[in-house]
Amino acid sequence: MVKLDGEKIGYQVENRHILNDMTFSYTSGDWITIIGPSGSGKSTLLKIIAGLTVATTGQIKLDNVMATDYPISDYRQQVSYATQSAQLFGNTVRDNLNLPYQVRQLVPDELVQKQGLSSMALPENYLDQEISQLSGGERQRVGVLRNLLFPPKVLLLDEISTGLDAETKAIIWQKIDRVHAQNHGIVLSVTHDESEILKATHKLELATMKEEADS
């Protein structure tokens, strides 16, 4: 059983509260869609959960342990963050799909990598495809696959399908759906797509906070 808790999470920049006193609790199998207007803190919340941004107040717990008590490399193996534009590195697709093995000090499994590419409707010989030769949709598929080679306990999705064509969206979401069904992790997704919002078992709606009056 996976458990993710946020206790009185707040985030403030100068005199502006972006998040204020947020508390939530989710468990295995939950799919949460985060909605709200621009500037309401949707991406900020995901980054706090991912350990990429430090909350001004409050704390995140994973399986009843404070996120800050985990070694950061261990935490990020369990909580995976995918963005709208995949940040690929190195020269080839292989460089990127080897990374999840390397951080776990494991030998890359080429068969699993090729099966992953096939599940994303990419040719198996794309392992040695240069990153510079990939289209935007192909880059995004490789990036999401990198997040899923070792399914995390918590998967954070920050508008990952924005700007993609319908076919690429369908391929990516089918892969995520399969992994979620098999592994029963927790998914938190920021999206404006109505069909994606309907996937949710829970909705978390954020409102834009007003700036404090000068004292």
Side-chain angles (χ1 to χ4, degrees):
M1 175 70 72
V2 182
K3 195 167 189 292
L4 178 71
D5 296 297
E7 300 179 359
K8 297 186 177 181
I9 301 297
Y11 188 75
Q12 184 175 350
V13 177
E14 296 180 346
N15 65 334
R16 183 179 175 226
H17 286 281
I18 297 174
L19 298 171
N20 188 41
D21 206 26
M22 287 194 61
T23 296
F24 53 81
S25 183
Y26 301 115
T27 58
S28 296
D30 285 345
W31 186 304
I32 304 94
T33 296
I34 304 172
I35 56 177
S38 178
S40 60
K42 301 183 296 297
S43 293
T44 299
L45 177 59
L46 290 191
K47 289 176 182 177
I48 289 172
I49 295 171
L52 300 173
T53 295
V54 178
T56 307
T57 59
Q59 59 189 17
I60 298 293
K61 287 185 177 181
L62 177 64
D63 294 337
N64 298 314
V65 177
M66 288 179 57
T68 51
D69 287 344
Y70 286 90
I72 190 63
S73 60
D74 291 351
Y75 185 76
R76 288 182 181 167
Q77 288 175 32
Q78 299 181 70
V79 180
S80 190
Y81 178 57
T83 62
Q84 178 178 340
S85 298
Q87 301 299 308
L88 304 185
F89 68 94
N91 296 316
T92 66
V93 170
R94 187 188 298 273
D95 291 336
N96 288 270
L97 298 188
N98 281 351
L99 179 64
Y101 293 90
Q102 292 166 345
V103 298
R104 293 168 173 83
Q105 298 183 330
L106 298 173
V107 176
D109 190 326
E110 187 170 304
L111 177 59
V112 171
Q113 291 171 330
K114 288 180 176 180
Q115 289 172 341
L117 288 172
S118 294
S119 72
M120 285 291 196
L122 293 171
E124 292 183 356
N125 63 9
Y126 260 40
L127 262 184
D128 293 309
Q129 181 79 344
E130 293 186 7
I131 297 302
S132 60
Q133 300 301 311
L134 299 178
S135 68
E138 289 172 338
R139 291 175 65 91
Q140 192 68 346
R141 280 180 268 175
V142 170
V144 172
L145 177 59
R146 185 178 60 193
N147 288 92
L148 297 178
L149 280 175
F150 291 86
K153 290 184 176 181
V154 179
L155 180 62
L156 308 171
L157 307 173
D158 196 353
E159 298 195 60
I160 61 164
S161 63
T162 299
L164 300 179
D165 61 79
E167 181 181 2
T168 301
K169 282 186 183 183
I171 291 167
I172 289 175
W173 285 112
Q174 285 170 8
K175 175 66 173 180
I176 293 171
D177 288 344
R178 285 196 299 271
V179 171
H180 184 244
Q182 291 168 358
N183 294 277
H184 308 291
I186 297 170
V187 175
L188 290 95
S189 174
V190 172
T191 182
H192 299 285
D193 188 302
E194 282 298 326
S195 64
E196 295 168 14
I197 290 172
L198 292 174
K199 293 177 180 290
T201 58
H202 302 75
K203 290 182 185 177
L204 181 58
E205 186 167 4
L206 305 184
T208 303
M209 305 294 292
K210 294 181 179 179
E211 292 187 4
E212 294 178 349
D214 293 335
S215 57

